[in-house]
Amino acid sequence: QNRQGYSQTNVDGQQVTRNYHSGGDNEQAGFSRDAIQEFQVVANRFDATQGRSAGMVVNAITKSGTNTFSGSGGAYFRDDKFNAKDLVLDRVLPYQNQQGSVTLGGPILLDRVHFFGAYEYDRTPHTNSYTNSGIWSQFNRDISETDTNKKWMARLDLQATSTTRFTFRGSGSNNTFFTGGGSSNHPINERELRREGDQYFGTLTSVIGGTSVNEIKGGVTYYLRSDRPAVNVWNGNKEFPYHPVLDGSPPIFRFNGYTVGSTPLALVLDTTNLRDDYTTS
């Protein structure tokens, strides 16, 4: 995942890897762990139907509903009460993390129509500390932020006839996180990073004559990347997402080992795909 074009992830046959990014968990499409039924990692060579990757491929299948209602729930947490002191600051930095997930699946019409849904929420309050030295130490401060990550999925399976089946899945993630801190940046470099993406995918499977199978697959993916200054650091007022100096095309000042200013970025990607697979024996 750390090299662009060297990995590919397929979910229910839909390619969800964002080739714009070379790697990083925050940059790729997110799925709740409780929504995945099974997965396969292919490190050796694979045929062309599995994707365009110079390295490995990961194939995953999402869960579907059955004739019995079932669900799950889970919660996890971390707290700075269990953390050791930071080696540089010689104090325990404020940190928390809370995760929760729920799933539910079952029949709409027995043996015919089934549904499955999943939702996961991740919340991480944390503190970015600026530890500059020399004349830049007057700008040192702690800025508290909260990272959030929301993942959802809904799936519908319809067995129209004994030889025809239709599956539809919608899924998405909304990830907002903050970067900053360190000993070489001004606090104005604190940034809010948003990664939003939705995927919609459908599969029509038909058995023909008992010896052949035809699958029509189609879907769309949407992706938004937004990088922007996080706060007005001069007065701590978060009601204004942009610092006045940084609107538009801001200047960036670089001194010896110190940087003031960062560049906002907005990017939108839409991808549509349609394929037909025919197999006979």
Side-chain angles (χ1 to χ4, degrees):
Q1 206 179 44
N2 291 326
R3 299 182 66 183
Q4 194 175 59
Y6 274 72
S7 67
Q8 175 71 52
T9 301
N10 305 317
V11 178
D12 298 325
Q14 181 184 29
Q15 298 181 14
V16 298
T17 297
R18 298 162 183 166
N19 288 325
Y20 173 79
H21 289 291
S22 58
D25 293 337
N26 291 323
E27 313 294 356
Q28 297 298 327
F31 288 82
S32 171
R33 289 168 293 182
D34 295 332
I36 301 299
Q37 177 67 35
E38 57 184 279
F39 68 92
Q40 174 195 46
V41 178
V42 184
N44 58 316
R45 295 313 303 155
F46 42 83
D47 61 72
T49 63
Q50 299 207 37
R52 302 179 295 274
S53 171
M56 57 177 281
V57 163
V58 177
N59 295 314
I61 298 175
T62 57
K63 294 180 179 178
S64 60
T66 65
N67 280 337
T68 303
F69 285 100
S70 62
S72 65
Y76 313 89
F77 79 95
R78 292 173 59 190
D79 195 277
D80 55 37
K81 294 187 174 97
F82 304 100
N83 289 357
K85 290 183 179 181
D86 183 273
L87 294 177
V88 176
L89 301 179
D90 194 33
R91 60 187 172 94
V92 176
L93 296 178
Y95 179 83
Q96 290 183 344
N97 172 253
Q98 303 93 35
Q99 300 178 46
S101 64
V102 294
T103 67
L104 179 64
I108 298 176
L109 184 63
L110 288 175
D111 298 322
R112 290 288 187 178
V113 186
H114 304 88
F115 76 93
F116 182 85
Y119 181 78
E120 183 175 308
Y121 179 71
D122 190 327
R123 179 179 181 271
T124 307
H126 62 96
T127 299
N128 291 329
S129 297
Y130 291 83
T131 58
N132 305 291
S133 58
I135 62 173
W136 310 114
S137 61
Q138 60 183 311
F139 300 113
N140 288 349
R141 67 187 65 202
D142 291 345
I143 298 181
S144 297
E145 307 286 6
T146 299
D147 298 348
T148 59
N149 194 356
K150 306 170 186 176
K151 305 172 186 176
W152 65 273
M153 191 204 76
R155 172 169 167 160
L156 182 69
D157 292 271
L158 169 63
Q159 188 73 41
T161 68
S162 60
T163 59
T164 304
R165 180 183 181 89
F166 176 76
T167 299
F168 174 79
R169 171 183 52 79
S171 57
S173 60
N174 186 328
N175 189 3
T176 301
F177 56 103
F178 296 84
T179 62
S183 59
S184 61
N185 292 313
H186 188 281
I188 205 173
N189 293 12
E190 189 88 2
R191 295 203 301 168
E192 177 196 78
L193 309 180
R194 292 172 55 202
R195 306 290 186 263
E196 298 180 15
D198 297 323
Q199 304 92 35
Y200 300 94
F201 192 67
T203 302
L204 177 62
T205 304
S206 302
V207 179
I208 304 172
T211 60
S212 303
V213 176
N214 190 75
E215 280 190 319
I216 301 176
K217 301 178 180 180
V220 296
T221 61
Y222 167 82
Y223 173 60
L224 166 67
R225 171 181 174 174
S226 173
D227 301 355
R228 65 183 188 179
V231 294
N232 185 337
V233 298
W234 303 119
N235 57 23
N237 189 343
K238 294 190 178 184
E239 294 181 0
F240 303 96
Y242 290 93
H243 189 282
V245 177
L246 292 181
D247 285 344
S249 299
I252 297 178
F253 301 95
R254 290 190 173 91
F255 304 93
N256 185 18
Y258 195 71
T259 302
V260 180
S262 61
T263 302
L265 173 67
L267 173 73
V268 175
L269 299 175
D270 290 294
T271 304
T272 302
N273 64 82
L274 179 66
R275 60 182 289 176
D276 183 273
D277 294 329
Y278 178 79
T279 304
T280 186
S281 62

